[in-house]
Amino acid sequence: MNILDDLKWRGAINQETDHDGLYELVNDKSVGIYVGIDPTGDSMHIGHLIPFMILKRFQLAGHKPVIVIGGGTGSIGDPSGKNSERVLQTMDQVHHNEQALTKQLTGLFGSDGKFDIVNNYEWLSQLSLLDFLRDYGKLFNVNTMLNKEVVASRLEVGISFTEFTYQILQSIDFLHLYQNNEVQVQLGGADQWGNITAGIDLIHKVEGPNAGVYGLTIPLMLKADGTKFGKTAGGAVWLDADKTTPYEFYQFWLNQDDRDVIKYLKYFTFLTQEEIEDLEEQVKTQPEKRAAQRRLAEEVTAFVHGENAVAEAEHISAALFSGDVANLTAAEIEQGFKNMPTVDVTSEPANIVEWLVDVTGIEPSRRQAREDVSNGAIRINGEKVTDTDATINPADHFDGRFVIVRRGKKKYFLARVK
């Protein structure tokens, strides 16, 4: 199957500059195709992941991915999707972010050398102002630039000359990659259409109208309720495990709406059409089993964090559901209890009633604490405690780092030993 047919079935094509030409190109040869990302932060979030999942599909289909880290463009800021000027970062921060993104992307695309990561700072920083104006500025019509959606949407509130020139710099990237890296296709989000077509226009002016270059964009992804995909009450879902733990990452996918899950399976997994259609049938006939959500969580978490992270996430989920937390590791507790009520305690042993009231504040009074303990409503590290004379020793479990308290059926607390 031609990869464009597969992308169409997955609903992953928004616009193409020349469908027939691109279809024939990717059908006949291995093609260089690029996606760019500016180092505006030190981690990608799942919104960034969308075009890179499509790029990964091209890699698996035998094409050559080229990833551009925008060390040059990122230092001035892309106006796409913004209604105000970006705050410029220091170059030290840009370089730090470049290194972090390079590490993440290498993890996604493998270490076998079947892809390239380049930094546009290497060539953009070599341009003098006069070279920029004479060699490239002359080839861009201001009226055409003003009509690009990315610029037109900012004219009311204003746009600086710096951000106005962004599409020229990105166009230079496409030309450079065409001339030096055998890249013929640029892939991006729907908001990048104006930048992509500007690059194609530049290549045709420099290399001639028959230069075989193409653009492909991906639709803006919205949830079934019309809100933007990838945002949660807690903010962005990051690929960096220190910002969003693998357990939180797994849970994000596991909790997707039935109305969205099949779309996400098509975008974010490499399952076949037959496998996804089977899961779609299960959503219709056995939605309570949430088989599609579970498979989605497994596939995406494994792709980003590895199979061990999936096993850990499932172990944590099962322990929290059953209350059997005693076999969790300290590292798993760090993940699973990250957003639960947490209190700092010392390592000193104490009577359970005093500990629940005076040390942790989990119980509002000693009377209530004694009542809850006596009634079997308190579990310490997964074990029910009914003796009001029992002693809590924080050093007994989890490498002496944590005490897990469950009050009632679902209310968890984490005591962190300092």
Side-chain angles (χ1 to χ4, degrees), residues 265-276:
L265 282 166
K266 290 179 178 180
Y267 263 85
F268 292 102
T269 77
F270 302 102
L271 299 179
T272 65
Q273 183 171 338
E274 291 73 24
E275 288 173 308
I276 292 174

PDB file of all heavy atoms in Angstrom, residues 265-276:
ATOM      1  N   LEU A 265      -5.963   5.797  17.962  1.00  0.00           N
ATOM      2  CA  LEU A 265      -5.281   4.557  17.556  1.00  0.00           C
ATOM      3  C   LEU A 265      -4.729   4.688  16.133  1.00  0.00           C
ATOM      4  O   LEU A 265      -3.636   4.208  15.828  1.00  0.00           O
ATOM      5  CB  LEU A 265      -6.240   3.371  17.631  1.00  0.00           C
ATOM      6  CG  LEU A 265      -6.506   2.794  19.023  1.00  0.00           C
ATOM      7  CD1 LEU A 265      -7.717   1.876  19.008  1.00  0.00           C
ATOM      8  CD2 LEU A 265      -5.273   2.046  19.546  1.00  0.00           C
ATOM      9  N   LYS A 266      -5.482   5.353  15.268  1.00  0.00           N
ATOM     10  CA  LYS A 266      -5.034   5.541  13.886  1.00  0.00           C
ATOM     11  C   LYS A 266      -3.825   6.478  13.822  1.00  0.00           C
ATOM     12  O   LYS A 266      -2.897   6.260  13.041  1.00  0.00           O
ATOM     13  CB  LYS A 266      -6.171   6.100  13.036  1.00  0.00           C
ATOM     14  CG  LYS A 266      -7.301   5.112  12.772  1.00  0.00           C
ATOM     15  CD  LYS A 266      -8.422   5.746  11.946  1.00  0.00           C
ATOM     16  CE  LYS A 266      -9.530   4.753  11.645  1.00  0.00           C
ATOM     17  NZ  LYS A 266     -10.629   5.363  10.847  1.00  0.00           N
ATOM     18  N   TYR A 267      -3.838   7.515  14.627  1.00  0.00           N
ATOM     19  CA  TYR A 267      -2.762   8.513  14.597  1.00  0.00           C
ATOM     20  C   TYR A 267      -1.507   8.049  15.336  1.00  0.00           C
ATOM     21  O   TYR A 267      -0.387   8.232  14.860  1.00  0.00           O
ATOM     22  CB  TYR A 267      -3.247   9.810  15.254  1.00  0.00           C
ATOM     23  CG  TYR A 267      -3.734  10.864  14.291  1.00  0.00           C
ATOM     24  CD1 TYR A 267      -5.040  10.850  13.830  1.00  0.00           C
ATOM     25  CD2 TYR A 267      -2.905  11.888  13.850  1.00  0.00           C
ATOM     26  CE1 TYR A 267      -5.507  11.822  12.959  1.00  0.00           C
ATOM     27  CE2 TYR A 267      -3.359  12.855  12.986  1.00  0.00           C
ATOM     28  CZ  TYR A 267      -4.666  12.824  12.535  1.00  0.00           C
ATOM     29  OH  TYR A 267      -5.116  13.784  11.675  1.00  0.00           O
ATOM     30  N   PHE A 268      -1.701   7.496  16.533  1.00  0.00           N
ATOM     31  CA  PHE A 268      -0.585   7.345  17.462  1.00  0.00           C
ATOM     32  C   PHE A 268      -0.068   5.925  17.625  1.00  0.00           C
ATOM     33  O   PHE A 268       0.804   5.692  18.460  1.00  0.00           O
ATOM     34  CB  PHE A 268      -0.989   7.890  18.839  1.00  0.00           C
ATOM     35  CG  PHE A 268      -1.193   9.378  18.872  1.00  0.00           C
ATOM     36  CD1 PHE A 268      -2.467   9.912  18.857  1.00  0.00           C
ATOM     37  CD2 PHE A 268      -0.108  10.239  18.905  1.00  0.00           C
ATOM     38  CE1 PHE A 268      -2.665  11.283  18.887  1.00  0.00           C
ATOM     39  CE2 PHE A 268      -0.294  11.610  18.931  1.00  0.00           C
ATOM     40  CZ  PHE A 268      -1.568  12.139  18.926  1.00  0.00           C
ATOM     41  N   THR A 269      -0.610   4.969  16.870  1.00  0.00           N
ATOM     42  CA  THR A 269      -0.078   3.615  16.952  1.00  0.00           C
ATOM     43  C   THR A 269       0.259   3.118  15.547  1.00  0.00           C
ATOM     44  O   THR A 269      -0.161   3.709  14.552  1.00  0.00           O
ATOM     45  CB  THR A 269      -1.073   2.627  17.601  1.00  0.00           C
ATOM     46  OG1 THR A 269      -2.097   2.272  16.657  1.00  0.00           O
ATOM     47  CG2 THR A 269      -1.709   3.221  18.852  1.00  0.00           C
ATOM     48  N   PHE A 270       0.981   2.030  15.516  1.00  0.00           N
ATOM     49  CA  PHE A 270       1.365   1.413  14.248  1.00  0.00           C
ATOM     50  C   PHE A 270       0.591   0.110  14.030  1.00  0.00           C
ATOM     51  O   PHE A 270       1.024  -0.766  13.286  1.00  0.00           O
ATOM     52  CB  PHE A 270       2.873   1.179  14.226  1.00  0.00           C
ATOM     53  CG  PHE A 270       3.649   2.452  14.425  1.00  0.00           C
ATOM     54  CD1 PHE A 270       4.213   2.756  15.663  1.00  0.00           C
ATOM     55  CD2 PHE A 270       3.775   3.384  13.406  1.00  0.00           C
ATOM     56  CE1 PHE A 270       4.889   3.941  15.865  1.00  0.00           C
ATOM     57  CE2 PHE A 270       4.450   4.577  13.599  1.00  0.00           C
ATOM     58  CZ  PHE A 270       5.008   4.857  14.834  1.00  0.00           C
ATOM     59  N   LEU A 271      -0.551   0.003  14.694  1.00  0.00           N
ATOM     60  CA  LEU A 271      -1.418  -1.155  14.492  1.00  0.00           C
ATOM     61  C   LEU A 271      -1.967  -1.142  13.068  1.00  0.00           C
ATOM     62  O   LEU A 271      -2.133  -0.085  12.461  1.00  0.00           O
ATOM     63  CB  LEU A 271      -2.576  -1.125  15.491  1.00  0.00           C
ATOM     64  CG  LEU A 271      -2.210  -1.172  16.978  1.00  0.00           C
ATOM     65  CD1 LEU A 271      -3.470  -1.114  17.828  1.00  0.00           C
ATOM     66  CD2 LEU A 271      -1.404  -2.420  17.291  1.00  0.00           C
ATOM     67  N   THR A 272      -2.273  -2.320  12.564  1.00  0.00           N
ATOM     68  CA  THR A 272      -2.795  -2.444  11.205  1.00  0.00           C
ATOM     69  C   THR A 272      -4.262  -2.008  11.154  1.00  0.00           C
ATOM     70  O   THR A 272      -4.941  -1.888  12.187  1.00  0.00           O
ATOM     71  CB  THR A 272      -2.704  -3.896  10.716  1.00  0.00           C
ATOM     72  OG1 THR A 272      -3.565  -4.711  11.528  1.00  0.00           O
ATOM     73  CG2 THR A 272      -1.275  -4.417  10.796  1.00  0.00           C
ATOM     74  N   GLN A 273      -4.748  -1.827   9.937  1.00  0.00           N
ATOM     75  CA  GLN A 273      -6.145  -1.458   9.744  1.00  0.00           C
ATOM     76  C   GLN A 273      -7.063  -2.530  10.337  1.00  0.00           C
ATOM     77  O   GLN A 273      -8.075  -2.207  10.978  1.00  0.00           O
ATOM     78  CB  GLN A 273      -6.421  -1.281   8.252  1.00  0.00           C
ATOM     79  CG  GLN A 273      -7.844  -0.814   7.936  1.00  0.00           C
ATOM     80  CD  GLN A 273      -8.013  -0.437   6.471  1.00  0.00           C
ATOM     81  OE1 GLN A 273      -7.042  -0.139   5.790  1.00  0.00           O
ATOM     82  NE2 GLN A 273      -9.244  -0.452   5.985  1.00  0.00           N
ATOM     83  N   GLU A 274      -6.704  -3.790  10.153  1.00  0.00           N
ATOM     84  CA  GLU A 274      -7.533  -4.881  10.662  1.00  0.00           C
ATOM     85  C   GLU A 274      -7.575  -4.869  12.197  1.00  0.00           C
ATOM     86  O   GLU A 274      -8.651  -5.076  12.799  1.00  0.00           O
ATOM     87  CB  GLU A 274      -6.994  -6.235  10.179  1.00  0.00           C
ATOM     88  CG  GLU A 274      -7.161  -6.493   8.694  1.00  0.00           C
ATOM     89  CD  GLU A 274      -6.207  -5.664   7.833  1.00  0.00           C
ATOM     90  OE1 GLU A 274      -5.136  -5.235   8.346  1.00  0.00           O
ATOM     91  OE2 GLU A 274      -6.542  -5.409   6.652  1.00  0.00           O
ATOM     92  N   GLU A 275      -6.425  -4.639  12.831  1.00  0.00           N
ATOM     93  CA  GLU A 275      -6.383  -4.607  14.294  1.00  0.00           C
ATOM     94  C   GLU A 275      -7.223  -3.459  14.850  1.00  0.00           C
ATOM     95  O   GLU A 275      -7.948  -3.619  15.839  1.00  0.00           O
ATOM     96  CB  GLU A 275      -4.928  -4.462  14.765  1.00  0.00           C
ATOM     97  CG  GLU A 275      -4.085  -5.709  14.572  1.00  0.00           C
ATOM     98  CD  GLU A 275      -2.625  -5.466  14.892  1.00  0.00           C
ATOM     99  OE1 GLU A 275      -2.029  -4.502  14.352  1.00  0.00           O
ATOM    100  OE2 GLU A 275      -2.066  -6.227  15.701  1.00  0.00           O
ATOM    101  N   ILE A 276      -7.141  -2.300  14.206  1.00  0.00           N
ATOM    102  CA  ILE A 276      -7.894  -1.142  14.681  1.00  0.00           C
ATOM    103  C   ILE A 276      -9.386  -1.338  14.457  1.00  0.00           C
ATOM    104  O   ILE A 276     -10.214  -0.987  15.307  1.00  0.00           O
ATOM    105  CB  ILE A 276      -7.383   0.142  13.997  1.00  0.00           C
ATOM    106  CG1 ILE A 276      -5.946   0.442  14.478  1.00  0.00           C
ATOM    107  CG2 ILE A 276      -8.301   1.329  14.296  1.00  0.00           C
ATOM    108  CD1 ILE A 276      -5.281   1.603  13.769  1.00  0.00           C
TER     109      ILE A 276
END
